[in-house]
Amino acid sequence: MASVETKTSSFDRVLGAWDILVIAFGAMIGWGWVVSTGSWIHDGGVLGAALGFCIGGVMIFFVGLTYAELTSAMPQCGGEHVFSYRAMGPIGSFICTWAIVLGYASVVCFEACALPTIITYIFPNFLQGYLYTVAGFKIYASWLAVAVGMSIIMTLVNIRGVKAAAKLQTILTVIIGAAGILLVVVSVITGSTDTLMPQAFIASDDASVTIKAVLAVAVTTPFYFIGFDVIPQAAEEINVPLKKIGKILILSVVCAVLFYALVIIAVGLVLTNSEIMASESGTGLVTADAMAKAMNSATMAKVIIIGGMCGIITSWNSFLMGGSRALYSMAESYMVPRFFAKLHPVYKTPVNALYLIGFLSVIAPFAGRKMLVWIVDAGNFGCCLAYCMVAMSFLILRRKEPDLERPFKVSHYKLVGWLAVVLSGFMVALYVIPNSGATLVWQEWAMAGGWCVLGLIFGVACKREYGERFGLLVDIISDKDAAALQSSDEEISEALDHAIDAAINKILAERNLTTAP
């Protein structure tokens, strides 16, 4: 294993408990609950889709427990990078962190396209200045202008500091929560189980078909639950007791699972199967149409649409934050070019890492939405792989470093750890096994493969450039511990000086020479 270097954090600790809760929850609640609910119900039925999200949530819950313990034990920028390094060494850390960066960057790029698309739903005449078509998707100048302009704005907001990003996150997350709660309440009041039950599950006499349909929904859920892992990425910027960080991380996961499941059921209580199909082929905004019917007001659909727009920005914001910190941590370890380890001199943010991910979000819209669907699926695969490696790191470190201080310590760690490994590994396997319902298509394998090649190029180049420093782990210690170490070093140096003086004086005295005073 490469050597370890210690230093105090270069980041400002400005995030409170509420900040990290809304950052994680806001990351997990994006635009999907507005536009994808109809397809979830179509794939698994109303209760089947809700159950699929709960199954995916169970996997994320157990993985989240491993993250909670590891984050409290190693509260350092980079999260997965540090956990996997301590457990598996530089190579394991490189694979794990590079995989999670793919997941973060894919979401950022997707959201850059989602925002102008939702504006198109609100203003049908928004699309102006046809340019070209990619995989059947027409690209317009107005669509590109919004995507590129917002990409620049979001990057600049994150460069100005994590606290500024957290304030934006709080406002938008409150709007999302209010819109979702309103939908659930009015659906319970005005909806009916008579509407829900005929579409509760996929109609089939074969139970295996129903189970497969539920699992097909479950396997997509990690993409929608990605976001809780942003918390360890920003650990050096959190000013909260370490034990509390773990509890907030788990709370964010539970809140997200409940939000998705309740929204799906709310739609099923209000819209019949034929109405959902009509909405899917019409506006595509099934959740908004459910609100309009429940409130008997087309205007109220815009409440859901506004909530969805806020969800786009909260996810975008969180993953810019998480992806830039993961890339920064790799650069600090000389795994990728040191250019990405630069912090802004005023705002203390990883400015060059933000520039890179921001640049990707600027150019991504030019490829159209179909290309981004492939990127997102490849990114989802990367996230599941990283989750599995973190869960394995959790088990390895319990054996390898049993005395490591763990402020948030998971009970029955073997059961929790193995469940996290098996469930996340099962998700990874579904992407690989043919005819599983979630197998990556060749375009998605090409995306994942291209990312692996880029990582290999970075790794080989940095190993050649930095030599033994490649894979160096930078261990962050507190200012108090740093002061204690410095004081200890000074005491040792002073004692050594006294010992040398005493030895010299003794030699001189034995030779009957005059000693220096």
Side-chain angles (χ1 to χ4, degrees):
M1 182 178 292
S3 58
V4 177
E5 179 181 283
T6 60
K7 72 167 193 174
T8 56
S9 177
S10 301
F11 292 93
D12 292 331
R13 293 190 178 275
V14 294
L15 296 178
W18 176 256
D19 293 325
I20 58 177
L21 177 62
V22 297
I23 286 170
F25 179 75
M28 289 184 276
I29 305 300
W31 168 235
W33 66 283
V34 178
V35 295
S36 300
T37 306
S39 63
W40 297 334
I41 292 174
H42 177 268
D43 292 342
V46 177
L47 296 184
L51 180 60
F53 267 84
C54 290
I55 292 171
V58 168
M59 184 273 282
I60 294 295
F61 178 78
F62 283 111
V63 173
L65 283 173
T66 67
Y67 267 86
E69 177 174 298
L70 293 172
T71 302
S72 71
M74 291 165 276
Q76 187 170 332
C77 176
E80 292 90 347
H81 170 71
V82 181
F83 310 155
S84 54
Y85 189 105
R86 294 277 286 264
M88 304 176 181
I91 302 302
S93 178
F94 191 103
I95 295 171
C96 181
T97 315
W98 193 241
I100 203 72
V101 172
L102 170 61
Y104 290 159
S106 70
V107 176
V108 171
C109 292
F110 181 81
E111 303 299 8
C113 290
L115 185 63
T117 301
I118 195 173
I119 293 175
T120 305
Y121 288 128
I122 303 173
F123 305 106
N125 296 324
F126 163 70
L127 295 177
Q128 299 293 327
Y130 170 76
L131 298 175
Y132 55 90
T133 299
V134 178
F137 185 82
K138 295 181 179 180
I139 307 292
Y140 290 84
S142 57
W143 190 88
L144 278 180
V146 170
V148 172
M150 197 62 191
S151 295
I152 294 171
I153 291 172
M154 292 301 297
T155 303
L156 292 176
V157 167
N158 273 267
I159 288 173
R160 287 188 63 85
V162 69
K163 191 62 179 179
K167 288 179 180 178
L168 174 66
Q169 194 84 349
T170 295
I171 296 170
L172 299 177
T173 302
V174 169
I175 295 173
I176 297 168
I181 290 170
L182 179 61
L183 171 66
V184 171
V185 171
V186 298
S187 295
V188 169
I189 295 172
T190 64
S192 171
T193 54
D194 293 336
T195 303
L196 185 151
M197 293 312 296
Q199 54 182 335
F201 294 95
I202 291 295
S204 176
D205 295 331
D206 188 347
S208 65
V209 173
T210 302
I211 294 172
K212 189 174 181 179
V214 172
L215 290 177
V217 175
V219 78
T220 67
T221 59
F223 172 72
Y224 300 102
F225 289 133
I226 296 171
F228 70 90
D229 43 304
V230 172
I231 292 178
Q233 298 295 346
E236 288 180 46
E237 297 159 275
I238 297 174
N239 188 24
V240 172
L242 297 177
K243 186 175 183 177
K244 194 172 183 179
I245 294 175
K247 292 180 178 179
I248 294 171
L249 190 152
I250 296 303
L251 176 61
S252 70
V253 172
V254 173
C255 289
V257 173
L258 289 175
F259 184 91
Y260 279 115
L262 290 175
V263 165
I264 292 169
I265 293 172
V267 171
L269 286 169
V270 174
L271 298 180
T272 64
N273 184 257
S274 60
E275 288 172 329
I276 290 174
M277 291 178 65
S279 178
E280 279 277 270
S281 60
T283 63
L285 302 177
V286 174
T287 308
D289 289 340
M291 174 67 94
K293 182 180 179 182
M295 298 288 286
N296 195 27
S297 169
T299 303
M300 291 306 295
K302 290 183 171 58
V303 172
I304 297 298
I305 294 172
I306 291 171
M309 291 181 69
C310 293
I312 289 172
I313 298 173
T314 56
S315 291
W316 197 341
N317 190 40
S318 293
F319 291 115
L320 260 175
M321 187 185 306
S324 60
R325 271 65 177 177
L327 194 58
Y328 166 88
S329 67
M330 294 185 77
E332 266 212 320
S333 291
Y334 297 87
M335 293 178 172
V336 297
R338 290 285 292 177
F339 173 79
F340 298 116
K342 179 182 176 181
L343 292 181
H344 193 283
V346 176
Y347 304 118
K348 301 295 180 66
T349 51
V351 60
N352 288 341
L354 282 166
Y355 280 142
L356 175 63
I357 299 177
F359 173 72
L360 292 176
S361 68
V362 166
I363 64 172
F366 289 88
R369 289 199 65 190
K370 185 64 176 178
M371 183 75 71
L372 290 181
V373 170
W374 297 333
I375 294 174
V376 165
D377 287 342
N380 201 19
F381 171 74
C383 284
C384 289
L385 176 61
Y387 292 162
C388 187
M389 293 186 73
V390 169
M392 292 169 63
S393 299
F394 168 82
L395 289 171
I396 292 170
L397 287 173
R398 273 298 190 104
R399 185 183 72 253
K400 187 177 180 181
E401 299 187 42
D403 297 327
L404 178 67
E405 185 178 353
R406 296 170 168 86
F408 182 96
K409 194 167 186 177
V410 175
S411 301
H412 309 292
Y413 80 90
K414 289 185 179 179
L415 175 64
V416 170
W418 279 111
L419 281 173
V421 170
V422 171
L423 290 173
S424 56
F426 175 69
M427 293 293 185
V428 173
L430 287 177
Y431 283 108
V432 179
I433 298 172
N435 301 318
S436 68
T439 311
L440 297 181
V441 298
W442 72 266
Q443 294 94 337
E444 293 160 353
W445 278 120
M447 300 287 180
W451 188 254
C452 291
V453 170
L454 179 60
L456 184 62
I457 292 171
F458 273 157
V460 171
C462 290
K463 178 66 175 176
R464 184 174 299 172
E465 173 75 17
Y466 304 122
E468 292 184 358
R469 294 185 70 79
F470 175 84
L472 170 74
L473 177 64
V474 179
D475 194 18
I476 299 298
I477 59 175
S478 67
D479 293 335
K480 181 179 178 181
D481 289 340
L485 285 174
Q486 184 177 2
S487 175
S488 176
D489 288 343
E490 290 174 352
E491 290 175 1
I492 292 171
S493 178
E494 186 176 347
L496 185 59
D497 288 342
H498 284 309
I500 292 172
D501 288 342
I504 292 172
N505 288 337
K506 183 178 180 181
I507 293 170
L508 293 175
E510 289 175 351
R511 297 184 180 182
N512 296 319
L513 298 174
T514 303
T515 60

